[in-house]
Amino acid sequence: MKNFITTQNWSRSELQDIVDFAIELKNNPYQPLLKNKSIAMLFFNPSLRTKTSFEVGISELSGTAVVLQPGKDAWPIEFQENIVMDGDAEEHVKEVAQVLSSYCDCIAIRAFPHFKDWDHDRTDSVINSFAKYSSVPVVNMETIEHPCQELAHILTLQEHFGDLQGKEYLLTWTYHPKPLNTAVANSSLLIASKFGMNVKLLCPSEDYHLDDRYLKAAKENCASEGASFDISYDIDSAYSNADIVYAKSWGCLSHYGKIDEQIANNNQFKHFIVDESKMALTNKAVFSHCLPLRRNVKATDGVMNADYCIAVKEAGNRKHVQKSMLSKIL
Amino acid sequence: MKNFITTQNWSRSELQDIVDFAIELKNNPYQPLLKNKSIAMLFFNPSLRTKTSFEVGISELSGTAVVLQPGKDAWPIEFQENIVMDGDAEEHVKEVAQVLSSYCDCIAIRAFPHFKDWDHDRTDSVINSFAKYSSVPVVNMETIEHPCQELAHILTLQEHFGDLQGKEYLLTWTYHPKPLNTAVANSSLLIASKFGMNVKLLCPSEDYHLDDRYLKAAKENCASEGASFDISYDIDSAYSNADIVYAKSWGCLSHYGKIDEQIANNNQFKHFIVDESKMALTNKAVFSHCLPLRRNVKATDGVMNADYCIAVKEAGNRKHVQKSMLSKIL
Amino acid sequence: MKNFITTQNWSRSELQDIVDFAIELKNNPYQPLLKNKSIAMLFFNPSLRTKTSFEVGISELSGTAVVLQPGKDAWPIEFQENIVMDGDAEEHVKEVAQVLSSYCDCIAIRAFPHFKDWDHDRTDSVINSFAKYSSVPVVNMETIEHPCQELAHILTLQEHFGDLQGKEYLLTWTYHPKPLNTAVANSSLLIASKFGMNVKLLCPSEDYHLDDRYLKAAKENCASEGASFDISYDIDSAYSNADIVYAKSWGCLSHYGKIDEQIANNNQFKHFIVDESKMALTNKAVFSHCLPLRRNVKATDGVMNADYCIAVKEAGNRKHVQKSMLSKIL
């Protein structure tokens, strides 16, 4: 039994297999690969692409999806061990995971961090607790990583470039009025490095460094693929010669939990918006973003409407890679 | 590719085809006409009949329905063009429509007006934006018109009367404590006039006139079918000799956005309630309403429980006409 | 046509048939017994197990489930007869039940009491109103009884013990910080007595007696099966020699609607928590609970983690008994 929680537990060739089979499914979408299989999808946070692409994709493979929203239409859940449950939570993940395992063949989870204490949030306790007590595979629909987005990202880039080895990959922080989750940024580093690209992280300052776990993993992945990993604070040099520009906004970990300070920090760096003049510095790069994207805040209309913007294509590929991944693990 | 946004874009004979095939589906409900088709249903507002009848109907045709509630379980969406998205909306309809088009074969939308500015609301910007950017057909599940209700209305009336040409059709405003959407009233005028009935709109005063777009369309439809169109403020004469009484409450456009004034206005006209004495003035008319209906506010228990009340039958027919319509456009 | 609202309307042998067929379905889960059948599931309250087990189970039998949440994604509903509907409710159950009956083959309802007036709540007006106006079978997904849980309870106990006749069955009140619904406690008495067990109800005081309707039914069921029914206030003697310990917390009916008083009452009886020392008094009893369960509040980690805890197994059996029950009534 294999979970799909982080791509770090999967080899490059295993991930490539998923991507390759996604292309087959893209050409031949209706196959009964999940016949008599049901997937419980737990959303602790909102979703458009993930919910729709999973539900439609599962149906195209003859499977059944059940959507649950704990705390809204289902009971709030406790994740701490050995606790007297006299707070809000009505049941423990131990029971929830076991019961859902008896109903379904897979448990998929979207659980953003709580944005209070990074030391806690970085343990990714919700999905890891489910993985601990579940007897069926657990799938990450975005927690502090977003591995399904990674698969769609790679498929989309391979459709554009073919082989990605040695491509110049830029992950740039971009502006957003709120301090957002680091998940897609973490995932961007993990997957770009795993597929042998020269990875550059552009952010406003050291305050915006991603967690060491991900910087270290990216460095190691790059090293083992013979590629480079750099961090830059200079917009012009970072964009120059990039083949791929991926953008994401996140709240700085250095002020994690202090939302007003994070917002004040973000507000200093509105000029990180991805615009046409920055894109002009690149090696005719493609631009992508995981969506949702605030236009003219994270990226300009000009960039979003350009032919080099592959964000919508990447979102569309979510369905295919997820179908492929579910077929592999179920 | 054809959208189903307003019946004004469909000819009488095209609409009759949908109704005729709905009768076939009523007799033979399970046909794989939507096999390998998926429909994204976006609800910006609550629903009972629409949600259930679409979900069950799609399933009876072997299709897949995905329900989304933007702003609740999905991200809030921006509809204005060329805007700096620094408000609440996290993504632009341009991306949402394109992404959903890549997952699904149809996008169905329920989006009531905002009840602030009729000049804006009458543009029906939500569904029209989706139609603009979507590459799959868009279906109206009630915005400022309710064309699915129109189809059910016509099917139900034809089941009762056969040919509708020349029937005396009364749309009466009725009381409700809140200022409601004009959608079903607009739709009532559009469809009754399109099917050649003599249409009468009864409302408390000129303040309650529907938008000129719909009055004009109804007049033109009636003219081209050789039927009459009138507006009346006199309850007794309006009911007399009616074959069909259709009731709907709405907030007066003349005070649109000023809810307290609209409520005060409505409160003057509680006597517009449909009751047995008014129905006694008619030509043994049938009574209908789109539901939900507040009993003893919009219509009395006596009317709702009478044999001549076909509101529940009309609601039941929603499933059949929607299945038929989806089969035609997909 | 038969509703599944209370097991009191079903004979022991009819219920045994449902349980027996559930075992067949457990071994052979995928059968097209609900092909071309759709079930509307109305949730007035949250749910995890019920929603998931019904949705997955219906799908395993090739049926279609539609989930509705009146007051959230659907309109609020009026249940009183002959009322001027000028409050919050937008439509009457009479229309809702008839319309859903025209779309679906079954209406399943979760509607907890309002916790204000037990004289009203004990009429179970929501589900009984649906049953009155619906033309399709109505299923109870927990109101003031929880018959689906009863079926799962019996199946799980029979899997453990075989024949249940004459077993010593203890239903113990247990602590919870909030005054909860009596439904599962009522159901526990009904089903344990119906299956010929010697039933003991353990509660802190007469204040915690369940409604006379259920005490009387349990007494009568026990009498007709040649078994005993007792109420006890003494923890040690009640546990001694028990074969089965079933726990549930509820707010005392004697202070119904006065939540602060109910909470104060509950707080006196935290020692009713099911722990290992109490379980040691029994005849190597199994322990169960309907879930959700607050660990170390209602039962200790030690009890929940013990081999004799069959609560998760019972929850898992929900799917099988519900599939069996739906197959019987549809």
Side-chain angles (χ1 to χ4, degrees):
Chain A
M1 191 187 94
K2 200 154 190 184
N3 296 321
F4 189 73
I5 295 179
T6 173
T7 55
Q8 282 300 91
N9 293 339
W10 292 67
S11 72
R12 179 172 172 178
S13 73
E14 286 174 319
L15 296 170
Q16 187 63 57
D17 282 351
I18 295 177
V19 170
D20 289 345
F21 188 53
I23 296 170
E24 277 187 54
L25 286 169
K26 207 166 167 174
N27 294 322
N28 190 3
Y30 306 102
Q31 303 189 28
L33 298 167
L34 297 180
K35 193 167 162 59
N36 295 341
K37 301 283 182 194
S38 57
I39 291 95
M41 298 168 67
L42 272 70
F43 288 96
F44 292 85
N45 303 91
S47 165
L48 177 112
R49 269 155 296 279
T50 298
K51 182 173 183 298
T52 311
S53 58
F54 265 101
E55 281 195 74
V56 173
I58 289 165
S59 161
E60 289 178 356
L61 299 179
S62 307
T64 298
V66 176
V67 175
L68 296 164
Q69 301 181 80
K72 281 188 185 175
D73 58 12
W75 307 103
I77 300 170
E78 177 65 54
F79 293 95
Q80 233 181 297
E81 305 269 343
N82 306 316
I83 191 173
V84 177
M85 289 174 55
D86 54 6
D88 287 335
E90 289 291 347
E91 60 184 325
H92 198 275
V93 63
K94 188 164 180 179
E95 274 73 54
V96 177
Q98 290 183 83
V99 170
L100 291 179
S101 295
S102 74
Y103 296 151
C104 297
D105 302 287
C106 178
I107 301 173
I109 292 167
R110 163 162 290 200
F112 292 172
H114 294 291
F115 298 109
K116 288 189 184 148
D117 172 11
W118 178 246
D119 282 338
H120 173 72
D121 284 347
R122 77 192 294 281
T123 65
D124 220 359
S125 61
V126 170
I127 197 161
N128 285 316
S129 301
F130 270 96
K132 182 173 175 186
Y133 293 118
S134 168
S135 56
V136 297
V138 169
V139 165
N140 187 340
M141 302 196 296
E142 191 176 351
T143 60
I144 58 168
E145 300 178 26
H146 197 349
C148 292
Q149 191 72 43
E150 295 179 43
L151 294 175
H153 191 38
I154 286 299
L155 169 55
T156 314
L157 292 178
Q158 290 186 345
E159 286 179 327
H160 187 86
F161 290 106
D163 189 13
L164 299 175
Q165 192 74 32
K167 292 288 171 201
E168 300 296 326
Y169 183 98
L170 173 64
L171 168 64
T172 178
W173 183 89
T174 187
Y175 173 66
H176 190 287
K178 295 181 196 159
L180 301 183
N181 193 357
T182 57
V184 172
N186 298 333
S187 276
S188 160
L189 294 189
L190 291 179
I191 202 70
S193 60
K194 185 149 240 164
F195 276 78
M197 293 186 264
N198 296 313
V199 176
K200 199 167 278 169
L201 166 63
L202 169 63
C203 54
S205 73
E206 286 194 17
D207 278 351
Y208 284 87
H209 276 203
L210 295 166
D211 188 85
D212 266 345
R213 179 197 295 157
Y214 299 106
L215 298 180
K216 194 162 160 283
K219 268 178 226 166
E220 289 172 2
N221 285 347
C222 283
S224 80
E225 293 289 338
S228 66
F229 178 78
D230 296 293
I231 301 181
S232 167
Y233 311 109
D234 180 70
I235 293 175
D236 282 11
S237 68
Y239 272 80
S240 84
N241 288 318
D243 295 308
I244 295 138
V245 176
Y246 202 54
K248 182 70 188 82
S249 189
W250 60 89
C252 53
L253 296 182
S254 55
H255 294 72
Y256 203 78
K258 297 164 189 155
I259 290 184
D260 290 342
E261 295 177 26
Q262 286 183 309
I263 291 173
N265 266 9
N266 281 9
N267 286 342
Q268 292 179 276
F269 304 111
K270 295 186 179 181
H271 58 286
F272 271 74
I273 185 172
V274 183
D275 57 24
E276 289 159 283
S277 66
K278 293 189 187 77
M279 289 301 293
L281 301 171
T282 67
N283 182 26
K284 297 186 181 171
V286 296
F287 169 75
S288 197
H289 184 279
C290 62
L291 304 183
L293 178 141
R294 289 174 176 241
R295 282 172 166 252
N296 303 312
V297 170
K298 287 167 149 184
T300 60
D301 276 334
V303 168
M304 288 302 290
N305 297 340
D307 285 343
Y308 56 69
C309 174
I310 57 172
V312 167
K313 223 184 238 180
E314 180 173 320
N317 277 332
R318 290 282 305 277
K319 184 169 76 173
H320 311 296
V321 294
Q322 289 161 188
K323 288 166 68 177
S324 173
M325 176 270 295
L326 288 173
S327 304
K328 297 279 178 201
I329 66 173
L330 291 181
Chain B
M1 190 186 94
K2 201 155 187 183
N3 296 320
F4 189 73
I5 295 180
T6 172
T7 54
Q8 282 300 91
N9 294 339
W10 292 67
S11 71
R12 179 172 172 177
S13 73
E14 286 174 318
L15 295 169
Q16 188 64 55
D17 282 350
I18 294 178
V19 169
D20 289 344
F21 187 54
I23 297 170
E24 276 186 56
L25 287 169
K26 208 167 167 173
N27 294 322
N28 189 4
Y30 306 102
Q31 304 190 26
L33 297 168
L34 298 180
K35 192 166 164 57
N36 295 342
K37 301 282 182 197
S38 58
I39 290 95
M41 298 168 68
L42 273 71
F43 288 96
F44 293 84
N45 304 92
S47 165
L48 178 113
R49 269 155 297 280
T50 298
K51 183 174 183 295
T52 312
S53 58
F54 266 100
E55 280 195 74
V56 173
I58 290 166
S59 160
E60 288 178 357
L61 299 178
S62 306
T64 298
V66 175
V67 175
L68 295 164
Q69 300 180 81
K72 281 188 182 172
D73 59 12
W75 308 104
I77 299 172
E78 177 63 56
F79 293 95
Q80 233 181 296
E81 305 270 340
N82 307 316
I83 192 173
V84 177
M85 289 174 56
D86 54 6
D88 287 334
E90 289 291 347
E91 61 184 325
H92 198 275
V93 62
K94 188 164 181 181
E95 275 72 54
V96 177
Q98 289 183 84
V99 170
L100 291 179
S101 295
S102 74
Y103 296 151
C104 297
D105 303 288
C106 177
I107 300 174
I109 292 167
R110 163 162 290 200
F112 292 172
H114 294 291
F115 299 109
K116 288 188 183 148
D117 172 12
W118 178 245
D119 282 337
H120 172 71
D121 284 347
R122 77 192 293 282
T123 66
D124 220 359
S125 61
V126 171
I127 197 162
N128 285 317
S129 301
F130 269 97
K132 182 173 175 186
Y133 293 118
S134 167
S135 56
V136 298
V138 169
V139 165
N140 187 340
M141 300 194 299
E142 191 175 352
T143 60
I144 58 169
E145 300 178 26
H146 197 350
C148 292
Q149 191 72 43
E150 294 179 43
L151 294 175
H153 191 39
I154 287 299
L155 169 54
T156 314
L157 292 178
Q158 290 186 345
E159 286 179 328
H160 188 87
F161 290 107
D163 188 14
L164 299 175
Q165 192 73 32
K167 291 291 170 198
E168 300 296 325
Y169 183 97
L170 174 64
L171 167 64
T172 177
W173 183 89
T174 186
Y175 174 65
H176 189 286
K178 295 180 196 160
L180 300 183
N181 192 358
T182 56
V184 173
N186 297 333
S187 276
S188 160
L189 294 189
L190 292 179
I191 202 69
S193 60
K194 185 148 240 164
F195 275 78
M197 294 187 264
N198 296 313
V199 177
K200 200 168 276 171
L201 165 63
L202 169 64
C203 53
S205 72
E206 286 193 16
D207 278 351
Y208 284 88
H209 276 203
L210 295 166
D211 187 85
D212 265 346
R213 179 198 295 157
Y214 299 105
L215 297 180
K216 194 164 160 281
K219 268 178 225 167
E220 289 172 3
N221 286 345
C222 283
S224 80
E225 294 289 338
S228 66
F229 178 78
D230 296 293
I231 300 181
S232 167
Y233 313 108
D234 180 69
I235 293 176
D236 282 10
S237 69
Y239 272 80
S240 85
N241 287 317
D243 295 308
I244 296 138
V245 175
Y246 202 53
K248 182 72 187 78
S249 189
W250 61 88
C252 52
L253 295 182
S254 55
H255 294 70
Y256 203 78
K258 298 165 189 154
I259 292 184
D260 290 343
E261 295 177 25
Q262 286 184 309
I263 291 172
N265 265 10
N266 280 10
N267 286 341
Q268 292 179 276
F269 304 111
K270 295 188 180 181
H271 58 286
F272 271 74
I273 185 171
V274 183
D275 58 24
E276 288 158 283
S277 67
K278 293 189 189 76
M279 289 301 294
L281 301 171
T282 68
N283 182 27
K284 298 186 181 171
V286 294
F287 169 74
S288 197
H289 184 280
C290 63
L291 303 182
L293 178 142
R294 288 174 177 243
R295 283 172 166 253
N296 303 311
V297 170
K298 286 167 148 184
T300 60
D301 277 334
V303 168
M304 287 302 290
N305 297 339
D307 286 342
Y308 57 68
C309 175
I310 58 172
V312 167
K313 222 184 239 180
E314 181 173 321
N317 278 332
R318 290 283 304 278
K319 183 169 77 172
H320 311 296
V321 294
Q322 291 161 188
K323 289 167 67 176
S324 174
M325 177 269 296
L326 289 173
S327 304
K328 296 279 178 200
I329 66 172
L330 291 181
Chain C
M1 193 186 92
K2 200 155 188 183
N3 296 320
F4 189 73
I5 295 179
T6 172
T7 56
Q8 281 300 91
N9 293 339
W10 292 67
S11 72
R12 180 173 173 177
S13 73
E14 286 174 318
L15 296 170
Q16 187 64 55
D17 282 350
I18 294 178
V19 169
D20 290 345
F21 188 52
I23 296 169
E24 277 187 55
L25 286 169
K26 207 167 168 172
N27 295 321
N28 189 5
Y30 306 103
Q31 303 190 28
L33 297 167
L34 298 180
K35 192 166 164 57
N36 295 342
K37 301 282 182 195
S38 58
I39 290 94
M41 298 169 67
L42 272 71
F43 288 97
F44 292 85
N45 304 92
S47 164
L48 178 112
R49 270 155 295 280
T50 298
K51 182 173 183 297
T52 311
S53 58
F54 265 101
E55 279 195 75
V56 173
I58 290 166
S59 161
E60 289 178 356
L61 299 179
S62 306
T64 298
V66 175
V67 175
L68 295 164
Q69 301 180 82
K72 281 188 185 172
D73 59 11
W75 308 103
I77 300 171
E78 177 65 55
F79 292 95
Q80 233 180 298
E81 306 269 341
N82 306 317
I83 192 173
V84 177
M85 287 174 57
D86 53 7
D88 287 334
E90 289 291 347
E91 60 184 324
H92 197 275
V93 63
K94 188 164 180 181
E95 275 74 54
V96 177
Q98 289 183 86
V99 170
L100 291 180
S101 296
S102 75
Y103 296 151
C104 298
D105 303 287
C106 178
I107 299 174
I109 291 167
R110 165 162 289 203
F112 293 172
H114 294 291
F115 298 109
K116 288 189 183 149
D117 171 12
W118 178 246
D119 282 337
H120 172 71
D121 284 346
R122 76 193 293 281
T123 65
D124 219 358
S125 61
V126 170
I127 197 161
N128 285 317
S129 300
F130 270 96
K132 182 172 175 188
Y133 292 118
S134 168
S135 57
V136 297
V138 168
V139 165
N140 187 341
M141 301 195 297
E142 191 175 354
T143 59
I144 58 168
E145 301 178 25
H146 198 350
C148 292
Q149 190 71 42
E150 294 178 44
L151 293 175
H153 191 38
I154 286 301
L155 169 56
T156 314
L157 293 177
Q158 290 186 346
E159 286 179 327
H160 188 88
F161 290 107
D163 189 14
L164 300 174
Q165 192 74 31
K167 292 289 171 200
E168 300 296 326
Y169 183 97
L170 174 64
L171 168 64
T172 177
W173 184 89
T174 186
Y175 173 65
H176 189 286
K178 295 180 195 159
L180 300 182
N181 193 357
T182 57
V184 172
N186 297 333
S187 275
S188 159
L189 294 189
L190 291 180
I191 202 69
S193 60
K194 185 147 239 164
F195 275 77
M197 294 187 264
N198 296 314
V199 177
K200 200 168 277 171
L201 166 63
L202 169 63
C203 54
S205 73
E206 287 193 15
D207 278 350
Y208 284 86
H209 276 203
L210 294 166
D211 187 86
D212 266 346
R213 179 198 295 158
Y214 298 106
L215 298 179
K216 194 162 160 283
K219 268 178 224 166
E220 288 173 2
N221 285 346
C222 282
S224 79
E225 294 289 339
S228 66
F229 177 78
D230 296 293
I231 300 180
S232 167
Y233 313 108
D234 180 69
I235 293 175
D236 283 10
S237 69
Y239 272 80
S240 84
N241 288 319
D243 296 308
I244 295 138
V245 176
Y246 202 53
K248 182 71 188 80
S249 189
W250 60 88
C252 53
L253 296 181
S254 56
H255 294 71
Y256 203 77
K258 297 165 189 154
I259 291 184
D260 290 343
E261 295 178 25
Q262 285 183 309
I263 291 173
N265 264 11
N266 281 9
N267 286 341
Q268 292 179 277
F269 303 112
K270 294 187 180 182
H271 59 284
F272 272 74
I273 186 172
V274 183
D275 58 24
E276 288 159 282
S277 67
K278 292 189 188 78
M279 289 302 294
L281 302 170
T282 67
N283 181 27
K284 299 186 180 171
V286 295
F287 168 75
S288 198
H289 184 280
C290 62
L291 304 182
L293 179 141
R294 289 174 176 243
R295 282 171 166 253
N296 303 312
V297 170
K298 286 166 149 186
T300 61
D301 276 334
V303 168
M304 287 302 290
N305 297 339
D307 285 343
Y308 56 68
C309 175
I310 57 171
V312 167
K313 220 183 240 180
E314 181 172 320
N317 278 333
R318 289 284 303 279
K319 183 169 75 172
H320 311 296
V321 294
Q322 290 161 188
K323 288 167 68 176
S324 173
M325 177 269 296
L326 288 173
S327 304
K328 296 279 178 200
I329 66 172
L330 291 180

